[in-house]
Amino acid sequence: MVRGLGRGPAPFPSRSARWWRTLGAVFVVLVFVPPLLLLVSGSLTEPGQPPPPTPRLVPDPLSVTGYQEAFPLGGLARATLNSAVVAVCAVPLSVLVASWAGFALARASRRVTAVIVAASLLALMAPATALLLPRFVVFRFLGLTDTLVPLIAPALLGASPLYVLIYYLAFRGLPADLYDTCRLSDLTPLQTWWRFALPVVRPVTAGLTALSFILTWSNFLDPLVYVYDRDLFTLPLALRSLAVLDPTNFPVFLAGAVVATVPPVLVFVLAQRWFLHSDDPTGRFR
């Protein structure tokens, strides 16, 4: 139907761009991998001993006692399940709503777009803490405090205006011929979004999904404000309970930190293929 459209430029079409990509990957490895290695190494240290004067890459002796103690002391199993429930509900919903809003904004008139973009930028300037009190009053009035609902509800608004603006820029950059062809084919806006526009911006979707997951998974402030029942604690709150242990039990806290760090790292690694490959395997644009 739209085979006449080109696939667009490759994400890294030139040798210079590939060189910068490699340089960026090396930078990420050098900055983030050593702390992760030290984190894992510290979690494998025997609890009950004073912290070593210098970091050790390979502790002697190796011990998994920290992991065995971290789960019952911090309730990590239940907290991991709660964090997973929040992430599974909030992340897809926030990305979906943000993509709808961004697509609608890209197809709106210039005057409407200018007003909404300006309002979104103003909303981004407002500190998140300024919204805590009104949001708390609303959720308290609805009887939703001490539940996981306040942690998921922001996804109904796309989680952040930033997500909407990123999708707006991505959809606005698509060829006008794409929208004209879909319109001539009598496709509804929803069909155009799902069948043609969204597949083209999959790297953007992957990036926002990874970002949304990491921010949701590591969210500490909202659970601290809205959740009081220990059975509803998410991983950041569970780690807070382990952080009060004495210094000789630092491997227990580091073991909990490893458990909390593994999912975001896996999501980031899995998203790499979408970051670096934006070709269309469906063949719609070939």
Side-chain angles (χ1 to χ4, degrees):
M1 182 179 300
V2 292
R3 294 183 181 275
L5 294 177
R7 295 171 58 189
F12 304 103
S14 65
R15 179 178 301 179
S16 174
R18 290 194 296 269
W19 185 85
W20 280 107
R21 181 187 66 180
T22 303
L23 182 63
V26 171
F27 175 78
V28 170
V29 170
L30 293 178
V31 170
F32 292 100
V33 170
L36 290 176
L37 292 178
L38 292 177
L39 176 65
V40 175
S41 174
S43 68
L44 295 176
T45 304
E46 181 69 28
Q49 300 179 0
T54 58
R56 297 176 182 176
L57 187 59
V58 181
D60 185 21
L62 288 173
S63 174
V64 295
T65 306
Y67 291 90
Q68 296 173 349
E69 296 182 1
F71 276 87
L73 287 177
L76 294 186
R78 181 71 180 185
T80 302
L81 178 61
N82 293 335
S83 291
V85 169
V86 173
V88 168
C89 295
V91 173
L93 187 59
S94 61
V95 173
L96 178 65
V97 174
S99 66
W100 282 346
F103 181 78
L105 192 58
R107 306 309 301 154
S109 64
R110 291 185 177 181
R111 180 174 300 180
V112 173
T113 298
V115 172
I116 296 179
V117 169
S120 300
L121 293 176
L122 290 175
L124 286 174
M125 296 179 186
T129 53
L131 303 177
L132 282 179
L133 180 58
R135 287 173 56 188
F136 178 82
V137 171
V138 171
F139 288 125
R140 187 63 179 267
F141 176 77
L142 296 176
L144 297 177
T145 53
D146 203 20
T147 68
L148 298 179
V149 174
L151 310 183
I152 303 173
L156 296 173
L157 301 176
S160 171
L162 177 64
Y163 298 173
V164 178
L165 292 177
I166 292 176
Y167 264 119
Y168 158 68
L169 294 175
F171 288 129
R172 192 184 67 169
L174 298 182
D177 293 344
L178 171 64
Y179 298 112
D180 293 338
T181 303
C182 294
R183 190 180 300 110
L184 292 175
S185 302
D186 292 330
L187 296 180
T188 64
L190 185 61
Q191 291 174 326
T192 302
W193 165 81
W194 175 252
R195 295 175 57 183
F196 300 104
L198 191 62
V200 178
V201 299
R202 279 180 302 179
V204 174
T205 301
L208 288 181
T209 300
L211 177 62
S212 178
F213 177 84
I214 292 172
L215 294 179
T216 302
W217 189 264
S218 61
N219 187 6
F220 173 75
L221 185 58
D222 287 344
L224 182 65
V225 172
Y226 298 115
V227 177
Y228 321 123
D229 187 354
R230 188 175 180 84
D231 290 337
L232 296 176
F233 276 11
T234 56
L235 264 178
L237 290 183
L239 287 180
R240 179 173 174 265
S241 64
L242 293 178
V244 300
L245 297 176
D246 60 274
T248 60
N249 286 319
F250 78 98
V252 179
F253 171 71
L254 294 183
V258 170
V259 174
T261 303
V262 168
V265 171
L266 290 178
V267 168
F268 183 81
V269 171
L270 292 175
Q272 290 306 301
R273 66 181 296 241
W274 302 113
F275 292 158
L276 304 179
H277 302 283
S278 62
D279 55 334
D280 179 36
T282 63
R284 288 195 180 104
F285 299 93
R286 295 181 182 178

